[in-house]
Amino acid sequence: MKKLVRLSDVAAAANTSAKTASRVINGDPRVSAETRRRVQEAVVRLGYRVDLLARSLRRGVDDTIGVVVESIADPFFAAVISEIELAALRRGLNVIVTSNRRLPNREVAIVDGLRQRRVAGMIITPHASDLSYLASTETPVVFVDRHPRNFPADVVTFDDRGGARTAVRHLLRYGHRRIAFVSDDLEIETSRDRHAGYVDALQEAGVPVVAGLVATDCADAAVARGRTCDFLDLDEPPTAIFSARSETSLGVVKTLHDRKRTDIAMVSFGDFALADVLSPAITVLEQSPELLGRLAAERLFARLDGDRCDPINTVIPVRLVPRGSGEIILSEDAETVAVAGA
């Protein structure tokens, strides 16, 4: 059996103390370049491996952070996770990723499991459960995309309400007054804020909010597709649609193209694959999931490094990208006549 290589063996081979060898292995910059070189060479020559379990027991926490999102399969959250993993890798941290599947009981169980595992910190996209009990834990937590209920914490979000207001103002500017809204459950903060921005823009323009043009039950693209069909079958169908999620946008686009209704204006909150190659290409509110993940990781690392300041609420602006679908002009007789700039 191969002899277990201990930290003391590395220190002896590098002609230094075990404490100094430990500093080198843990990335402490307070070590001379020559000593660092000797320790690193000894680690490679002896085949030393860090005992992660022993390290966790000494520190009281694991060298791992937990990430909880709504769905790992969602391209948006996949991009967020990827950026967090890259940031964690640079710090020598491992990442455990799991999804709550929009199930409050599952969310609580997952978070409790991560706490029991003594992860160093957590980055969470909360669904609807009350996570206020986390305020009593010493484990740093950063929330992304949505605010937690009932307790202050570091949060990184997009300007959902402001972005939605910009999108609807854009459609109003091109003459549209019957603007449909498609999203999922308003119990979800992002959908609720985007709906609020939709209402803001209509009200400031003196345009009534028509209940029959609002669909807030679209949990996925299939439901959004059906609800878009319902809109188009109305005696007075909408001349424009604002889709509050990239997933619902997929359903809206499918219906519009199946029915060859390229005369209906559309803006999507969030980009999606091939949105820029459709005809007309889809105007979007551009958001960066990579930036969201990076800022969340930086905030968590600051907490891990001892930052004890009051909770910080970081709001990332979104940008409207005109591509054609949102620039369809409505004539005075309510017939679409052109795409601006075409």
Side-chain angles (χ1 to χ4, degrees):
M1 183 179 295
K2 186 176 179 180
K3 179 185 176 183
L4 177 66
V5 179
R6 302 182 183 278
L7 182 62
S8 57
D9 299 324
V10 173
N15 193 28
T16 188
S17 67
K19 185 175 182 179
T20 298
S22 177
R23 284 178 175 173
V24 172
I25 291 168
N26 286 290
D28 192 325
R30 297 170 297 176
V31 179
S32 70
E34 173 58 25
T35 300
R36 185 180 305 280
R37 181 190 62 76
R38 294 202 312 271
V39 171
Q40 290 172 341
E41 288 180 353
V43 166
V44 173
R45 185 168 67 255
L46 299 176
Y48 175 73
R49 294 291 181 271
V50 177
D51 188 336
L52 296 178
L53 178 58
R55 176 188 285 184
S56 298
L57 291 173
R58 287 195 303 272
R59 295 182 177 180
V61 295
D62 198 358
D63 283 337
T64 301
I65 60 173
V67 178
V68 184
V69 298
E70 192 170 275
S71 170
I72 296 172
D74 187 312
F76 174 84
F77 287 115
V80 173
I81 292 166
S82 179
E83 196 65 29
I84 293 171
E85 286 183 323
L86 284 173
L89 181 63
R90 296 187 189 105
R91 283 185 62 109
L93 293 172
N94 301 306
V95 180
I96 297 176
V97 179
T98 187
S99 58
N100 58 39
R101 297 287 182 180
R102 295 192 172 198
L103 300 172
N105 291 338
R106 174 176 169 81
E107 181 172 58
V108 172
I110 289 170
V111 172
D112 281 344
L114 291 172
R115 291 176 69 204
Q116 292 173 18
R117 188 186 171 101
R118 295 184 178 277
V119 293
M122 290 183 279
I123 296 176
I124 301 173
T125 299
H127 179 51
S129 56
D130 185 349
L131 299 176
S132 59
Y133 66 89
L134 288 175
S136 63
T137 182
E138 293 184 359
T139 305
V141 183
V142 174
F143 292 89
V144 292
D145 203 40
R146 302 160 196 167
H147 291 76
R149 290 187 177 183
N150 303 324
F151 80 98
D154 291 325
V155 184
V156 184
T157 63
F158 290 108
D159 183 8
D160 294 302
R161 187 166 184 164
R165 192 184 302 119
T166 296
V168 179
R169 283 174 177 168
H170 187 75
L171 293 169
L172 289 164
R173 191 175 302 121
Y174 286 96
H176 300 279
R177 294 298 179 266
R178 288 185 63 78
I179 303 173
F181 176 80
V182 181
S183 80
D184 55 5
D185 194 343
L186 296 189
E187 283 293 309
I188 298 172
E189 180 186 349
T190 48
S191 295
R192 186 167 62 250
D193 287 347
R194 293 170 191 179
H195 178 260
Y198 163 81
V199 172
D200 289 344
L202 292 181
Q203 289 182 339
E204 70 184 20
V207 176
V209 178
V210 180
L213 294 180
V214 175
T216 59
D217 58 352
C218 303
D220 55 36
V223 179
R225 184 178 178 184
R227 298 294 273 127
T228 305
C229 287
D230 295 340
F231 287 150
L232 298 182
D233 290 338
L234 292 171
D235 291 337
E236 291 186 75
T239 63
I241 299 174
F242 171 49
S243 174
R245 297 175 60 219
S246 55
E247 186 170 1
T248 55
S249 296
L250 293 171
V252 173
V253 167
K254 176 65 174 170
T255 296
L256 294 179
H257 281 259
D258 282 350
R259 296 199 178 193
K260 301 184 179 358
R261 293 301 304 271
T262 55
D263 59 321
I264 303 291
M266 177 184 173
V267 176
S268 170
F269 200 119
D271 209 347
F272 55 93
L274 303 181
D276 58 341
V277 300
L278 296 171
S279 182
I282 305 303
T283 295
V284 300
L285 286 167
E286 187 178 67
Q287 51 183 168
S288 170
E290 293 83 6
L291 179 58
L292 185 75
R294 183 163 67 254
L295 292 179
E298 289 174 358
R299 188 87 287 275
L300 181 64
F301 298 158
R303 292 300 185 187
L304 292 175
D305 291 339
D307 187 342
R308 295 294 179 265
C309 71
D310 290 339
I312 295 175
N313 184 34
T314 303
V315 180
I316 305 171
V318 296
R319 182 174 68 96
L320 189 134
V321 181
R323 291 175 177 160
S325 71
E327 294 69 55
I328 295 175
I329 303 171
L330 196 70
S331 67
E332 291 183 0
D333 62 357
E335 292 184 357
T336 304
V337 296
V339 175

